[in-house]
Amino acid sequence: MVWQLDLFLTLLAIIAAAAAITVKDLLSAVVLLNAFSFFMCLIWTQLGAVDVAFTEASVGAGVSGVFFIATLYITTRRTKD
């Protein structure tokens, strides 16, 4: 394994997670959470856990992203803050 790639992917995942909890727009938060899930998928692949990476990609980015976006159609996109 290349430790520089692991460090880079970990930093990208941390940045995506931190940005997801700080943005005010909920659609942006959903996109950032999907990006976090994608980076986690790449980290799991780099670590050799392909089955966990596949599950993270399909459930973490796929299904939960669709559920979050469907929920946004029912609620408002922006907070009142």
Side-chain angles (χ1 to χ4, degrees):
M1 286 191 276
V2 181
W3 68 270
Q4 292 92 349
L5 180 61
D6 293 338
L7 181 64
F8 180 68
L9 290 174
T10 303
L11 288 175
L12 286 175
I14 290 171
I15 290 169
I21 61 173
T22 58
V23 295
K24 297 290 184 189
D25 187 26
L26 292 178
L27 184 62
S28 299
V30 168
V31 170
L32 286 166
L33 285 173
N34 282 339
F36 171 77
S37 182
F38 177 70
F39 291 134
M40 287 304 298
C41 173
L42 292 177
I43 290 171
W44 288 122
T45 303
Q46 180 67 19
L47 292 174
V50 181
D51 53 343
V52 178
F54 180 74
T55 304
E56 180 70 30
S58 62
V59 175
V63 176
S64 66
V66 170
F67 284 153
F68 284 147
I69 290 174
T71 305
L72 285 180
Y73 283 120
I74 298 169
T75 60
T76 59
R77 276 184 60 183
R78 295 195 178 267
T79 62
K80 304 296 182 201
D81 297 345

